[in-house]
Amino acid sequence: MPGKSLLSAAALAAGALLSSPALYAQEVQLSTTDGGITLTGELLEFTGETFILATSVGKLEIDAFSVVCEGAACPPPELMRSDFRIAGAKSISEGFLPALIDAYGFDLDVDVLNTLTDDGSELTLTGANDENLATINLAGLGSTGGLKALLDGEASLAVTSRPLRNREARAFADAGLGNLADPENEKVLALDGLVVVTSRDNPVRAIRETDVPEVFSGRINNWSQLGGPDAPIRLYVRDESSGTREVFDNLVMRPVGLAVADQVISVDNDDAIADLVSADPYGIGFTGFASLRNAKGLAIEGVCGLQTPPTAFTIKTEEYPLTRRLYMYQTNRPKTRHAKALMDFALSDMAQQVIADAGFIDQAITAETINAQGLRLASALTAPEAGQSFGQLQDMVGTLINADRLSTTFRFETGSSELDSKAQADIQRLAAQLMEGKYDNKELLLVGFTDSVGQADLNQFLSADRAGQVQQALLDAAGGDLPNVKFRVLGYGEISPLGCNETFQGRLINRRVEVWTRDLVGGE
């Protein structure tokens, strides 16, 4: 437990000399939040985050927020509180943040009380003696509203269902608040997919990517135009201020110069979209994968004929065309101890399980056999480039035939050789598993791919080079040595598309480094 470990670490550091003056010089008692460990000594100084205590074993520094202080010299309770606000997308602030904070409290062994407010909820962390350790206000202001609150200093953290816009990044930089696109300030909490949904009573099972904006603009207005019954289409959409709507507009509508029709049923949350559509055989809407509920999600068919269903794995690998990342942002402003600790906790394995339990797509590493990758092999054989690279296809299939694909898929910043913020976090996540021995005596295949822009031989070189960059990043994260893991770096260029190269989004999907594992056999 964090409180015990911090106090134990302090005890092990006995004898460390500190030069701080004796500002308090009165005896106090410090106990972990569960009362399991108690330490008595003379309080020399309270820095705001640390107690400096003179004990029989020497001077100790102890994290003030991991213990309860009793005695006349203890600082006033208001100095020990860690109140802060998180503002942003309702799908996050209502979808899984309360459960995430509850798990954070469980990890600290403190109680968490959740109270509803006008714009969200307020969660209070309470210690063993009923002292208020922190009050966290969750405000569902939408992604844009959350970033504005962060910029204005009205929130310590912002959560969004879309990435930071360039003009927003400039506003933070101009205000001296740092580069919010830097991986230190931009964290991917989870993944979600925008799913085009219908009733399970509707026979349509897939929709062309090009038809989606036509439907929601009202240009296609009868189900018979989509291979369904002769009946009018009813549109259910999110309100314009929502992050879900903004992502849908950016991914689907704006690239083709269309806007959502005026004659729609506007809904203020993702769950309600799914509920309304599931009860309407002629309704269609869009919602988050986490809010699919009893509605039916349609596979998306690209302009090249490739269909991708919305599944947890295709969203984790970001191959589903309407995948979206869910973000948490911070600035360089000072933050309370619990605000900083909660942001770190949100990326932990424990937090990822909470996110998965809430119905969102966590970032824990999962695997699929090549049998489940049949669609990508079929698309490779039918791609325009297949005739020119059949030998490479045979080599790829022969190499991967007995391997499993991990969900971890590395991508780079657009127009850059630098891993993006999610990929950098994934490097740490995979490197930790490698150091734990999870893939000992296995071969780790790092397989690079590109889009079809440019010369095929140069694309193959680039794909292998990117895979090599991932290998080096993993070795660096692991301290430079993984003797029990055999790496193999491969580059297959443009031969195995998972998206349609005719579109910008498809090309983004195709530029990737996949991770496969297979057992070492015999003397391999």
Side-chain angles (χ1 to χ4, degrees), residues 19 96 116 138 146 157 162 170 213 257 297 326 329 334 336 361 384 440 447 464:
S19 59
F96 63 80
L116 294 179
L138 302 182
L157 302 169
R162 61 164 176 83
R170 286 194 297 271
L326 305 180
Y329 288 98
T336 68
I361 306 301
D440 282 2
V447 189

Side-chain angles (χ1 to χ4, degrees), residues 196 212-218 235-237 248 253 259-261 284-286:
V196 178
V212 178
E214 296 285 320
V215 168
F216 284 92
S217 67
L235 300 174
Y236 295 83
V237 304
F248 183 80
M253 306 303 291
V260 170
I284 190 169
F286 57 86

Side-chain angles (χ1 to χ4, degrees), residues 252-404:
V252 176
M253 306 303 291
R254 291 189 183 120
V256 293
L258 294 177
V260 170
D262 294 330
Q263 300 301 313
V264 298
I265 300 167
S266 182
V267 185
D268 67 359
N269 71 80
D270 287 2
D271 287 351
I273 289 272
D275 291 342
L276 290 167
V277 167
S278 66
D280 183 352
Y282 304 127
I284 190 169
F286 57 86
T287 190
F289 183 82
S291 298
L292 192 56
R293 296 159 77 88
N294 198 42
K296 179 176 67 179
L298 300 182
I300 302 295
E301 181 178 304
V303 295
C304 57
L306 176 64
Q307 284 190 12
T308 307
T311 69
F313 196 84
T314 60
I315 293 172
K316 273 195 178 189
T317 59
E318 299 186 281
E319 287 154 19
Y320 176 66
L322 301 183
T323 295
R324 62 174 174 174
R325 296 176 176 184
L326 305 180
Y327 296 89
M328 179 177 278
Y329 288 98
Q330 66 173 354
T331 68
N332 58 15
R333 286 192 183 103
K335 281 171 287 298
T336 68
R337 184 259 182 183
H338 282 294
K340 291 184 287 188
L342 180 62
M343 192 168 190
D344 291 337
F345 177 80
L347 303 178
S348 68
D349 290 343
M350 183 176 180
Q352 290 300 303
Q353 185 58 54
V354 171
I355 289 167
D357 290 344
F360 291 81
I361 306 301
D362 65 280
Q363 298 175 86
I365 300 172
T366 58
E368 274 194 354
T369 67
I370 196 170
N371 294 337
Q373 294 279 304
L375 192 61
R376 63 96 50 84
L377 298 178
S379 68
L381 289 170
T382 57
E385 302 83 10
Q388 305 168 21
S389 52
F390 189 71
Q392 279 186 293
L393 281 172
Q394 284 184 308
D395 179 67
M396 183 187 78
V397 174
T399 300
L400 303 179
I401 194 69
N402 294 314
D404 294 335

Side-chain angles (χ1 to χ4, degrees), residues 149-163:
L150 183 65
L151 177 65
D152 294 342
E154 296 173 359
S156 297
L157 302 169
V159 288
T160 71
S161 56
R162 61 164 176 83

Side-chain angles (χ1 to χ4, degrees), residues 197-219:
V197 291
T198 63
S199 167
R200 293 183 181 275
D201 295 329
N202 191 309
V204 174
R205 295 194 295 179
I207 185 169
R208 294 188 186 95
E209 191 172 3
T210 52
D211 284 344
V212 178
E214 296 285 320
V215 168
F216 284 92
S217 67
R219 292 188 176 187

Side-chain angles (χ1 to χ4, degrees), residues 49-67:
E49 291 191 349
T50 304
F51 288 120
I52 300 175
L53 203 66
T55 72
S56 59
V57 294
K59 294 179 182 179
L60 307 178
E61 287 190 28
I62 299 168
D63 180 3
F65 294 98
S66 67
V67 294

Side-chain angles (χ1 to χ4, degrees), residues 61-135:
E61 287 190 28
I62 299 168
D63 180 3
F65 294 98
S66 67
V67 294
V68 176
C69 183
E70 295 181 82
C74 290
E78 58 268 20
L79 292 183
M80 296 300 299
R81 290 182 56 168
S82 182
D83 298 348
F84 61 98
R85 191 185 198 207
I86 305 174
K90 280 187 178 181
S91 56
I92 303 173
S93 63
E94 296 177 3
F96 63 80
L97 267 189
L100 195 69
I101 294 169
D102 194 55
Y104 173 70
F106 179 83
D107 194 47
L108 293 177
D109 199 23
V110 300
D111 294 328
V112 179
L113 175 66
N114 190 346
T115 305
L116 294 179
T117 64
D118 290 340
D119 61 0
S121 58
E122 190 170 86
L123 292 96
T124 304
L125 275 59
T126 306
N129 297 322
D130 293 329
E131 73 278 12
N132 186 325
L133 302 176
T135 298

